Amino acid sequence: MPLLVDIRKKLGDFELRASFQADQGVTGILGASGCGKSMTLRCIAGIVRPDEGRIELDGTVFFDSEKKIDLKPQKRQVGLLFQNYALFPNMTVRQNLLTGVKAREKDREKADRLVREMIRRFSLDGLEGHRPCQLSGGQQQRAALARILLSRPRLLMLDEPFSALDGYLRWNLELELSDVLKDFGGSA
């Protein structure tokens, strides 16, 4: 079982209780607005610390309240695509993508080649020098997803990736994302 989540987190009057197992492939977390879907993803990624419970991926324990284990986000190798894409606003597309690859690739020439490949793969040609505010929602999403994939995550998590897009753009990006997930090969 690749992903095991059994956590609790108190947030004011709300208590998040999430318990599930996700096998290899694509898993969806469904629920009403405000039920804790995004908070669950943030706990898995290590951005938010649960009050108690356990999170494990492929035998690696990310969090265990009883054993006092809480891996830092950088050690979890989890890619989380936020609802707002979380691109660095002061950086160009190319610079944003380089932040995804720099952590694992010290060879500058190889890092540049990997970024160029992702720019081509995600149809961002000609946008390398643009900042996020100069991109459409779909372009921002593709840049953010390319940056995450450049970091080679073990687990890819998408937090409502189409919520801010119009119907036509949503349809096109759903098709593109389907292809990306097939190529990814890990759990999503």
Side-chain angles (χ1 to χ4, degrees):
M1 69 196 87
L3 179 63
L4 170 72
V5 176
D6 186 10
I7 56 171
R8 283 152 303 291
K9 174 76 177 167
K10 186 89 169 139
L11 302 158
D13 294 336
F14 175 76
E15 184 178 12
L16 169 68
R17 292 181 181 193
S19 182
F20 63 91
Q21 293 179 15
D23 291 324
Q24 197 71 10
V26 178
T27 300
I29 300 175
L30 305 174
S33 180
C35 74
K37 300 179 300 290
S38 295
M39 184 60 63
T40 300
L41 298 180
R42 289 185 171 130
C43 287
I44 295 168
I47 299 166
V48 173
R49 187 180 191 276
D51 295 330
E52 59 183 86
R54 181 177 175 90
I55 302 169
E56 182 180 328
L57 177 65
D58 293 329
T60 301
V61 178
F62 288 175
F63 177 80
D64 189 319
S65 57
E66 288 182 10
K67 295 181 180 177
K68 308 282 190 243
I69 297 171
D70 188 13
L71 288 183
K72 293 182 181 196
Q74 299 85 344
K75 298 281 186 191
R76 296 182 186 209
Q77 294 178 286
V78 171
L80 174 57
L81 180 65
F82 294 94
Q83 290 180 32
N84 66 355
Y85 311 131
L87 291 168
F88 299 111
N90 60 324
M91 294 182 178
T92 65
V93 168
R94 183 181 178 290
Q95 291 167 331
N96 266 282
L97 269 58
L98 275 171
T99 64
V101 76
K102 278 185 177 178
R104 69 173 175 91
E105 185 54 62
K106 303 303 179 207
D107 180 347
R108 176 93 170 157
E109 193 174 299
K110 186 172 181 185
D112 286 339
R113 184 177 47 78
L114 291 169
V115 166
R116 284 192 307 272
E117 287 172 10
M118 277 297 182
I119 286 171
R120 188 184 72 254
R121 178 177 178 193
F122 283 89
S123 302
L124 295 167
D125 299 290
L127 302 173
E128 298 91 332
H130 288 63
R131 298 196 188 284
C133 66
Q134 298 171 304
L135 304 174
S136 70
Q139 291 165 337
Q140 288 180 36
Q141 182 197 45
R142 292 195 310 270
L145 190 54
R147 180 180 65 188
I148 288 170
L149 291 175
L150 280 166
S151 70
R152 289 207 319 237
R154 295 170 53 196
L155 175 66
L156 178 62
M157 299 188 303
L158 312 171
D159 190 1
E160 297 189 38
F162 307 115
S163 61
L165 305 175
D166 63 47
Y168 175 75
L169 190 54
R170 182 180 302 123
W171 169 253
N172 286 325
L173 289 175
E174 284 173 357
L175 293 174
E176 286 179 27
L177 188 56
S178 176
D179 289 339
V180 167
L181 291 177
K182 285 177 196 168
D183 292 343
F184 175 60
S187 295

